[in-house]
Amino acid sequence: MSLYVEFEAPLADGALGLHVPVADDHRADAVAAAQALSRCEPLLAALETWLAVALDPVPLLAADDRPPSTGRLTASVTRGTLAPAGTRLFVPLELALRRGALPNVLQSDALVWASLSVEVELARYAEPPLPRSGLATGGMLLLPRSFEPPWRVQLCNREHRTEWAAHWRGPGHPFEPTGAADRLQEHPPGAWRVVLAAPLLLDPAPWLAGAAMPPGQLPDDAAAWLLAPARGVPIAHGSVVPALQGAGLWLVPGVRPAMPPVAQAESHPWT
């Protein structure tokens, strides 16, 4: 079992966390904590340059002092050039998104960033977009935003309560954020939505370095759901395919996706 000295550096946008592995259980010793932090000087210097803030990490000596891990990007040190191998880094997401491009030293293989799970919304409707018979017969559900190039999609990460507007050219192409991240805005209660069936698992490093968001392992016939307003109940699924000058959701006839138990307990007049 790994043992860590845990540090926190308070910031205006949350707290930066640093967990440094130690060889024994003398984590509460002030001298041991200072020695552990001194081995992280290259990492702290790179972070100060990137975030444009002075960092003053203080040790957390009690379990109740541990900072929450939500709302922060996480990374692990793999080589001792930046800090002891196994050191864990937690960076407030809002702060990271407002800073300049990630320096090379923080996107090298010496620091591995944890994947970010992103939901992709392709279309939104104020009224039911299909007749009742549409679920049984299948067919094409046009995605209106795709006919207004560039196709505007919405990306969100619910864990971090964050969303981004982005452009997309369809399956096989990257997502290109069009601005800074915003606080997640809940969709209107009566909204019908089409979202990709699987979240994208993205490596934050190239994105923070200024590159477009990669499409992830997204096949050419990207699967997507039509969600009803009642707690996002999935009522139909299909594949995103080209349609005229835009795209549509080609629905599988008579097949409904499995609903999570919480959704099965609810009802909606359309379904």
PDB file of all heavy atoms in Angstrom, residues 120 151 153 155 167-176 196 200 202 212-220 222 242:
ATOM      1  N   VAL A 120     -21.421  14.392 -25.552  1.00  0.00           N
ATOM      2  CA  VAL A 120     -21.565  15.216 -26.755  1.00  0.00           C
ATOM      3  C   VAL A 120     -23.040  15.297 -27.134  1.00  0.00           C
ATOM      4  O   VAL A 120     -23.660  14.287 -27.467  1.00  0.00           O
ATOM      5  CB  VAL A 120     -20.755  14.634 -27.928  1.00  0.00           C
ATOM      6  CG1 VAL A 120     -20.895  15.532 -29.161  1.00  0.00           C
ATOM      7  CG2 VAL A 120     -19.296  14.470 -27.540  1.00  0.00           C
ATOM      8  N   TRP A 151     -21.120  22.909 -37.866  1.00  0.00           N
ATOM      9  CA  TRP A 151     -22.055  22.215 -36.983  1.00  0.00           C
ATOM     10  C   TRP A 151     -21.693  22.533 -35.533  1.00  0.00           C
ATOM     11  O   TRP A 151     -20.606  22.260 -35.066  1.00  0.00           O
ATOM     12  CB  TRP A 151     -21.959  20.723 -37.244  1.00  0.00           C
ATOM     13  CG  TRP A 151     -22.950  19.856 -36.503  1.00  0.00           C
ATOM     14  CD1 TRP A 151     -23.844  20.243 -35.555  1.00  0.00           C
ATOM     15  CD2 TRP A 151     -23.131  18.451 -36.666  1.00  0.00           C
ATOM     16  NE1 TRP A 151     -24.584  19.175 -35.118  1.00  0.00           N
ATOM     17  CE2 TRP A 151     -24.165  18.056 -35.783  1.00  0.00           C
ATOM     18  CE3 TRP A 151     -22.517  17.496 -37.466  1.00  0.00           C
ATOM     19  CZ2 TRP A 151     -24.593  16.734 -35.678  1.00  0.00           C
ATOM     20  CZ3 TRP A 151     -22.940  16.182 -37.371  1.00  0.00           C
ATOM     21  CH2 TRP A 151     -23.967  15.800 -36.490  1.00  0.00           C
ATOM     22  N   VAL A 153     -22.011  21.825 -31.720  1.00  0.00           N
ATOM     23  CA  VAL A 153     -22.357  20.792 -30.748  1.00  0.00           C
ATOM     24  C   VAL A 153     -22.003  21.296 -29.360  1.00  0.00           C
ATOM     25  O   VAL A 153     -21.285  22.282 -29.203  1.00  0.00           O
ATOM     26  CB  VAL A 153     -21.628  19.463 -31.047  1.00  0.00           C
ATOM     27  CG1 VAL A 153     -21.998  18.941 -32.416  1.00  0.00           C
ATOM     28  CG2 VAL A 153     -20.118  19.631 -30.937  1.00  0.00           C
ATOM     29  N   LEU A 155     -20.461  20.148 -25.611  1.00  0.00           N
ATOM     30  CA  LEU A 155     -19.679  19.157 -24.867  1.00  0.00           C
ATOM     31  C   LEU A 155     -19.823  19.449 -23.389  1.00  0.00           C
ATOM     32  O   LEU A 155     -19.779  20.615 -22.977  1.00  0.00           O
ATOM     33  CB  LEU A 155     -18.204  19.230 -25.257  1.00  0.00           C
ATOM     34  CG  LEU A 155     -17.885  19.261 -26.752  1.00  0.00           C
ATOM     35  CD1 LEU A 155     -16.396  19.473 -26.967  1.00  0.00           C
ATOM     36  CD2 LEU A 155     -18.338  17.982 -27.437  1.00  0.00           C
ATOM     37  N   HIS A 167     -17.325  23.094 -32.546  1.00  0.00           N
ATOM     38  CA  HIS A 167     -17.699  22.790 -33.921  1.00  0.00           C
ATOM     39  C   HIS A 167     -17.273  21.363 -34.236  1.00  0.00           C
ATOM     40  O   HIS A 167     -16.282  20.863 -33.701  1.00  0.00           O
ATOM     41  CB  HIS A 167     -17.028  23.755 -34.895  1.00  0.00           C
ATOM     42  CG  HIS A 167     -17.537  25.150 -34.801  1.00  0.00           C
ATOM     43  ND1 HIS A 167     -16.840  26.256 -35.261  1.00  0.00           N
ATOM     44  CD2 HIS A 167     -18.702  25.642 -34.281  1.00  0.00           C
ATOM     45  CE1 HIS A 167     -17.541  27.348 -35.048  1.00  0.00           C
ATOM     46  NE2 HIS A 167     -18.659  27.011 -34.447  1.00  0.00           N
ATOM     47  N   TRP A 168     -18.029  20.722 -35.139  1.00  0.00           N
ATOM     48  CA  TRP A 168     -17.743  19.335 -35.518  1.00  0.00           C
ATOM     49  C   TRP A 168     -18.090  19.156 -36.978  1.00  0.00           C
ATOM     50  O   TRP A 168     -19.107  19.683 -37.455  1.00  0.00           O
ATOM     51  CB  TRP A 168     -18.553  18.384 -34.639  1.00  0.00           C
ATOM     52  CG  TRP A 168     -18.159  16.942 -34.712  1.00  0.00           C
ATOM     53  CD1 TRP A 168     -16.894  16.447 -34.803  1.00  0.00           C
ATOM     54  CD2 TRP A 168     -19.029  15.813 -34.678  1.00  0.00           C
ATOM     55  NE1 TRP A 168     -16.916  15.069 -34.816  1.00  0.00           N
ATOM     56  CE2 TRP A 168     -18.211  14.660 -34.742  1.00  0.00           C
ATOM     57  CE3 TRP A 168     -20.406  15.651 -34.590  1.00  0.00           C
ATOM     58  CZ2 TRP A 168     -18.737  13.361 -34.735  1.00  0.00           C
ATOM     59  CZ3 TRP A 168     -20.938  14.373 -34.572  1.00  0.00           C
ATOM     60  CH2 TRP A 168     -20.105  13.233 -34.635  1.00  0.00           C
ATOM     61  N   ARG A 169     -17.281  18.401 -37.692  1.00  0.00           N
ATOM     62  CA  ARG A 169     -17.554  18.085 -39.098  1.00  0.00           C
ATOM     63  C   ARG A 169     -18.094  16.675 -39.264  1.00  0.00           C
ATOM     64  O   ARG A 169     -18.219  16.201 -40.404  1.00  0.00           O
ATOM     65  CB  ARG A 169     -16.282  18.273 -39.927  1.00  0.00           C
ATOM     66  CG  ARG A 169     -15.914  19.739 -40.125  1.00  0.00           C
ATOM     67  CD  ARG A 169     -14.663  19.873 -40.971  1.00  0.00           C
ATOM     68  NE  ARG A 169     -13.486  19.391 -40.273  1.00  0.00           N
ATOM     69  CZ  ARG A 169     -12.345  19.016 -40.867  1.00  0.00           C
ATOM     70  NH1 ARG A 169     -12.262  19.029 -42.172  1.00  0.00           N
ATOM     71  NH2 ARG A 169     -11.327  18.619 -40.142  1.00  0.00           N
ATOM     72  N   GLY A 170     -18.420  16.023 -38.166  1.00  0.00           N
ATOM     73  CA  GLY A 170     -19.017  14.702 -38.238  1.00  0.00           C
ATOM     74  C   GLY A 170     -18.063  13.605 -37.809  1.00  0.00           C
ATOM     75  O   GLY A 170     -16.897  13.849 -37.475  1.00  0.00           O
ATOM     76  N   PRO A 171     -18.558  12.352 -37.767  1.00  0.00           N
ATOM     77  CA  PRO A 171     -17.747  11.221 -37.309  1.00  0.00           C
ATOM     78  C   PRO A 171     -16.407  11.149 -38.028  1.00  0.00           C
ATOM     79  O   PRO A 171     -16.305  11.352 -39.230  1.00  0.00           O
ATOM     80  CB  PRO A 171     -18.624  10.013 -37.639  1.00  0.00           C
ATOM     81  CG  PRO A 171     -20.013  10.542 -37.585  1.00  0.00           C
ATOM     82  CD  PRO A 171     -19.925  11.936 -38.130  1.00  0.00           C
ATOM     83  N   GLY A 172     -15.361  10.874 -37.233  1.00  0.00           N
ATOM     84  CA  GLY A 172     -14.010  10.791 -37.773  1.00  0.00           C
ATOM     85  C   GLY A 172     -13.239  12.083 -37.716  1.00  0.00           C
ATOM     86  O   GLY A 172     -12.049  12.100 -38.008  1.00  0.00           O
ATOM     87  N   HIS A 173     -13.883  13.177 -37.319  1.00  0.00           N
ATOM     88  CA  HIS A 173     -13.233  14.476 -37.240  1.00  0.00           C
ATOM     89  C   HIS A 173     -13.130  14.929 -35.783  1.00  0.00           C
ATOM     90  O   HIS A 173     -13.927  14.511 -34.938  1.00  0.00           O
ATOM     91  CB  HIS A 173     -14.012  15.522 -38.046  1.00  0.00           C
ATOM     92  CG  HIS A 173     -14.047  15.245 -39.508  1.00  0.00           C
ATOM     93  ND1 HIS A 173     -12.998  15.522 -40.354  1.00  0.00           N
ATOM     94  CD2 HIS A 173     -15.019  14.680 -40.282  1.00  0.00           C
ATOM     95  CE1 HIS A 173     -13.308  15.160 -41.580  1.00  0.00           C
ATOM     96  NE2 HIS A 173     -14.527  14.642 -41.567  1.00  0.00           N
ATOM     97  N   PRO A 174     -12.162  15.798 -35.488  1.00  0.00           N
ATOM     98  CA  PRO A 174     -12.016  16.276 -34.109  1.00  0.00           C
ATOM     99  C   PRO A 174     -13.090  17.295 -33.746  1.00  0.00           C
ATOM    100  O   PRO A 174     -13.755  17.877 -34.610  1.00  0.00           O
ATOM    101  CB  PRO A 174     -10.632  16.921 -34.109  1.00  0.00           C
ATOM    102  CG  PRO A 174     -10.432  17.364 -35.526  1.00  0.00           C
ATOM    103  CD  PRO A 174     -11.112  16.320 -36.370  1.00  0.00           C
ATOM    104  N   PHE A 175     -13.263  17.490 -32.450  1.00  0.00           N
ATOM    105  CA  PHE A 175     -14.138  18.542 -31.934  1.00  0.00           C
ATOM    106  C   PHE A 175     -13.278  19.779 -31.672  1.00  0.00           C
ATOM    107  O   PHE A 175     -12.207  19.681 -31.081  1.00  0.00           O
ATOM    108  CB  PHE A 175     -14.820  18.089 -30.645  1.00  0.00           C
ATOM    109  CG  PHE A 175     -15.737  16.917 -30.845  1.00  0.00           C
ATOM    110  CD1 PHE A 175     -15.279  15.620 -30.664  1.00  0.00           C
ATOM    111  CD2 PHE A 175     -17.041  17.111 -31.237  1.00  0.00           C
ATOM    112  CE1 PHE A 175     -16.120  14.536 -30.864  1.00  0.00           C
ATOM    113  CE2 PHE A 175     -17.896  16.032 -31.445  1.00  0.00           C
ATOM    114  CZ  PHE A 175     -17.419  14.745 -31.261  1.00  0.00           C
ATOM    115  N   GLU A 176     -13.741  20.929 -32.127  1.00  0.00           N
ATOM    116  CA  GLU A 176     -12.964  22.157 -32.035  1.00  0.00           C
ATOM    117  C   GLU A 176     -13.683  23.147 -31.123  1.00  0.00           C
ATOM    118  O   GLU A 176     -14.648  23.797 -31.547  1.00  0.00           O
ATOM    119  CB  GLU A 176     -12.761  22.744 -33.426  1.00  0.00           C
ATOM    120  CG  GLU A 176     -12.042  21.784 -34.376  1.00  0.00           C
ATOM    121  CD  GLU A 176     -11.980  22.283 -35.796  1.00  0.00           C
ATOM    122  OE1 GLU A 176     -12.596  23.337 -36.076  1.00  0.00           O
ATOM    123  OE2 GLU A 176     -11.333  21.626 -36.627  1.00  0.00           O
ATOM    124  N   LEU A 196     -24.391  11.499 -28.293  1.00  0.00           N
ATOM    125  CA  LEU A 196     -23.637  10.285 -28.596  1.00  0.00           C
ATOM    126  C   LEU A 196     -23.850   9.268 -27.489  1.00  0.00           C
ATOM    127  O   LEU A 196     -23.865   9.614 -26.302  1.00  0.00           O
ATOM    128  CB  LEU A 196     -22.150  10.602 -28.749  1.00  0.00           C
ATOM    129  CG  LEU A 196     -21.748  11.435 -29.977  1.00  0.00           C
ATOM    130  CD1 LEU A 196     -20.229  11.620 -30.010  1.00  0.00           C
ATOM    131  CD2 LEU A 196     -22.227  10.795 -31.271  1.00  0.00           C
ATOM    132  N   LEU A 200     -16.996  10.489 -24.740  1.00  0.00           N
ATOM    133  CA  LEU A 200     -15.633  10.508 -25.243  1.00  0.00           C
ATOM    134  C   LEU A 200     -14.675  10.540 -24.065  1.00  0.00           C
ATOM    135  O   LEU A 200     -14.865  11.309 -23.128  1.00  0.00           O
ATOM    136  CB  LEU A 200     -15.401  11.732 -26.117  1.00  0.00           C
ATOM    137  CG  LEU A 200     -16.257  11.846 -27.374  1.00  0.00           C
ATOM    138  CD1 LEU A 200     -15.915  13.118 -28.110  1.00  0.00           C
ATOM    139  CD2 LEU A 200     -16.062  10.638 -28.267  1.00  0.00           C
ATOM    140  N   LEU A 202     -11.174  11.631 -23.265  1.00  0.00           N
ATOM    141  CA  LEU A 202     -10.171  12.482 -23.897  1.00  0.00           C
ATOM    142  C   LEU A 202      -8.945  12.653 -23.022  1.00  0.00           C
ATOM    143  O   LEU A 202      -9.050  12.789 -21.805  1.00  0.00           O
ATOM    144  CB  LEU A 202     -10.774  13.860 -24.187  1.00  0.00           C
ATOM    145  CG  LEU A 202     -12.028  13.882 -25.062  1.00  0.00           C
ATOM    146  CD1 LEU A 202     -12.513  15.302 -25.239  1.00  0.00           C
ATOM    147  CD2 LEU A 202     -11.760  13.233 -26.405  1.00  0.00           C
ATOM    148  N   ALA A 212      -7.057  20.828 -31.093  1.00  0.00           N
ATOM    149  CA  ALA A 212      -8.478  20.499 -31.100  1.00  0.00           C
ATOM    150  C   ALA A 212      -8.710  19.232 -30.287  1.00  0.00           C
ATOM    151  O   ALA A 212      -7.832  18.376 -30.172  1.00  0.00           O
ATOM    152  CB  ALA A 212      -8.962  20.286 -32.534  1.00  0.00           C
ATOM    153  N   MET A 213      -9.906  19.122 -29.712  1.00  0.00           N
ATOM    154  CA  MET A 213     -10.243  17.903 -28.991  1.00  0.00           C
ATOM    155  C   MET A 213     -10.285  16.737 -29.981  1.00  0.00           C
ATOM    156  O   MET A 213     -10.987  16.811 -30.988  1.00  0.00           O
ATOM    157  CB  MET A 213     -11.613  18.031 -28.323  1.00  0.00           C
ATOM    158  CG  MET A 213     -11.643  18.870 -27.073  1.00  0.00           C
ATOM    159  SD  MET A 213     -13.279  18.759 -26.293  1.00  0.00           S
ATOM    160  CE  MET A 213     -12.980  19.707 -24.803  1.00  0.00           C
ATOM    161  N   PRO A 214      -9.541  15.667 -29.719  1.00  0.00           N
ATOM    162  CA  PRO A 214      -9.587  14.535 -30.650  1.00  0.00           C
ATOM    163  C   PRO A 214     -10.947  13.857 -30.604  1.00  0.00           C
ATOM    164  O   PRO A 214     -11.682  13.966 -29.619  1.00  0.00           O
ATOM    165  CB  PRO A 214      -8.490  13.609 -30.108  1.00  0.00           C
ATOM    166  CG  PRO A 214      -8.391  13.955 -28.665  1.00  0.00           C
ATOM    167  CD  PRO A 214      -8.680  15.430 -28.572  1.00  0.00           C
ATOM    168  N   PRO A 215     -11.331  13.146 -31.684  1.00  0.00           N
ATOM    169  CA  PRO A 215     -12.638  12.491 -31.695  1.00  0.00           C
ATOM    170  C   PRO A 215     -12.697  11.248 -30.842  1.00  0.00           C
ATOM    171  O   PRO A 215     -13.762  10.681 -30.660  1.00  0.00           O
ATOM    172  CB  PRO A 215     -12.837  12.149 -33.180  1.00  0.00           C
ATOM    173  CG  PRO A 215     -11.452  11.989 -33.706  1.00  0.00           C
ATOM    174  CD  PRO A 215     -10.611  12.979 -32.954  1.00  0.00           C
ATOM    175  N   GLY A 216     -11.580  10.814 -30.266  1.00  0.00           N
ATOM    176  CA  GLY A 216     -11.588   9.577 -29.505  1.00  0.00           C
ATOM    177  C   GLY A 216     -11.772   8.392 -30.436  1.00  0.00           C
ATOM    178  O   GLY A 216     -11.598   8.485 -31.648  1.00  0.00           O
ATOM    179  N   GLN A 217     -12.135   7.263 -29.898  1.00  0.00           N
ATOM    180  CA  GLN A 217     -12.364   6.069 -30.712  1.00  0.00           C
ATOM    181  C   GLN A 217     -13.797   6.099 -31.229  1.00  0.00           C
ATOM    182  O   GLN A 217     -14.650   5.306 -30.826  1.00  0.00           O
ATOM    183  CB  GLN A 217     -12.089   4.808 -29.881  1.00  0.00           C
ATOM    184  CG  GLN A 217     -10.668   4.712 -29.376  1.00  0.00           C
ATOM    185  CD  GLN A 217      -9.664   4.687 -30.515  1.00  0.00           C
ATOM    186  OE1 GLN A 217      -9.844   3.960 -31.483  1.00  0.00           O
ATOM    187  NE2 GLN A 217      -8.621   5.486 -30.410  1.00  0.00           N
ATOM    188  N   LEU A 218     -14.076   7.019 -32.157  1.00  0.00           N
ATOM    189  CA  LEU A 218     -15.427   7.232 -32.648  1.00  0.00           C
ATOM    190  C   LEU A 218     -15.549   6.620 -34.035  1.00  0.00           C
ATOM    191  O   LEU A 218     -14.889   7.072 -34.975  1.00  0.00           O
ATOM    192  CB  LEU A 218     -15.722   8.734 -32.699  1.00  0.00           C
ATOM    193  CG  LEU A 218     -17.178   9.159 -32.770  1.00  0.00           C
ATOM    194  CD1 LEU A 218     -17.939   8.682 -31.551  1.00  0.00           C
ATOM    195  CD2 LEU A 218     -17.275  10.669 -32.884  1.00  0.00           C
ATOM    196  N   PRO A 219     -16.370   5.575 -34.230  1.00  0.00           N
ATOM    197  CA  PRO A 219     -16.487   4.946 -35.553  1.00  0.00           C
ATOM    198  C   PRO A 219     -17.223   5.856 -36.530  1.00  0.00           C
ATOM    199  O   PRO A 219     -17.844   6.840 -36.151  1.00  0.00           O
ATOM    200  CB  PRO A 219     -17.293   3.674 -35.254  1.00  0.00           C
ATOM    201  CG  PRO A 219     -18.092   4.012 -34.036  1.00  0.00           C
ATOM    202  CD  PRO A 219     -17.215   4.925 -33.216  1.00  0.00           C
ATOM    203  N   ASP A 220     -17.144   5.504 -37.811  1.00  0.00           N
ATOM    204  CA  ASP A 220     -17.807   6.314 -38.831  1.00  0.00           C
ATOM    205  C   ASP A 220     -19.324   6.335 -38.658  1.00  0.00           C
ATOM    206  O   ASP A 220     -19.987   7.311 -39.008  1.00  0.00           O
ATOM    207  CB  ASP A 220     -17.462   5.798 -40.233  1.00  0.00           C
ATOM    208  CG  ASP A 220     -16.003   6.077 -40.581  1.00  0.00           C
ATOM    209  OD1 ASP A 220     -15.421   6.992 -39.965  1.00  0.00           O
ATOM    210  OD2 ASP A 220     -15.474   5.390 -41.461  1.00  0.00           O
ATOM    211  N   ALA A 222     -21.239   6.609 -35.881  1.00  0.00           N
ATOM    212  CA  ALA A 222     -21.295   6.895 -34.447  1.00  0.00           C
ATOM    213  C   ALA A 222     -22.700   6.637 -33.897  1.00  0.00           C
ATOM    214  O   ALA A 222     -23.682   7.175 -34.394  1.00  0.00           O
ATOM    215  CB  ALA A 222     -20.885   8.344 -34.205  1.00  0.00           C
ATOM    216  N   PRO A 242     -24.455  10.828 -42.828  1.00  0.00           N
ATOM    217  CA  PRO A 242     -24.710  12.003 -43.668  1.00  0.00           C
ATOM    218  C   PRO A 242     -26.145  12.002 -44.183  1.00  0.00           C
ATOM    219  O   PRO A 242     -26.719  10.950 -44.493  1.00  0.00           O
ATOM    220  CB  PRO A 242     -23.708  11.833 -44.818  1.00  0.00           C
ATOM    221  CG  PRO A 242     -22.660  10.907 -44.291  1.00  0.00           C
ATOM    222  CD  PRO A 242     -23.366   9.990 -43.349  1.00  0.00           C
TER     223      PRO A 242
END
